[in-house]
Amino acid sequence: MIDVGLGNPEDLTGRNLRGKLVLLEAAMAKDVYGQPTCGVAIERIGAIRDAGAAAIAHFPSAGTGCAIPLGIAQIPFTGPAKPVGIPNVSLPTRKRSSCASRSPTASGSPSE
């Protein structure tokens, strides 16, 4: 298991995700009008999937008030729906701390 925070490119650089369960903080995505909405950006999922992760557990960012399950969001009008292609599950934010404490990132080891 490895915690990649928001899953931005810099969060993934140098991380070995192959075969691991990835913990992902789901920041607000954009809706059709460009407004913030609860969801996980498909681009974040795609990068993690392409890095070989086995599955993703995503959590709403603290204080967003987002309910679970979180939807998968794609920026509108960017072409056909992109495939998720990896098992994923939404968990409550309160569960993140117990999962993250078991993650190599919690001990500061980005190479795990």
Side-chain angles (χ1 to χ4, degrees):
M1 179 173 14
I2 188 164
D3 187 339
V4 297
L6 293 171
N8 293 315
E10 61 272 16
D11 298 327
L12 304 180
T13 301
R15 302 275 173 103
N16 176 11
L17 305 183
R18 185 150 310 282
K20 295 194 171 92
L21 169 63
V22 172
L23 304 177
L24 174 65
E25 180 178 346
M28 299 297 277
K30 301 282 184 187
D31 70 8
V32 69
Y33 302 105
Q35 299 301 309
T37 187
C38 295
V40 182
I42 189 67
E43 293 78 14
R44 306 254 191 260
I45 289 177
I48 292 168
R49 178 196 61 228
D50 295 348
I56 300 171
H58 38 79
F59 304 81
S61 294
T64 61
C66 292
I68 57 170
L70 292 167
I72 307 298
Q74 178 175 326
I75 297 172
F77 313 114
T78 57
K82 296 175 183 167
V84 174
I86 186 171
N88 66 92
V89 62
S90 294
L91 296 174
T93 303
R94 69 181 185 281
K95 294 287 186 184
R96 181 175 189 194
S97 60
S98 63
C99 291
S101 67
R102 299 177 190 156
S103 170
T105 304
S107 64
S109 176
S111 61
E112 286 297 314

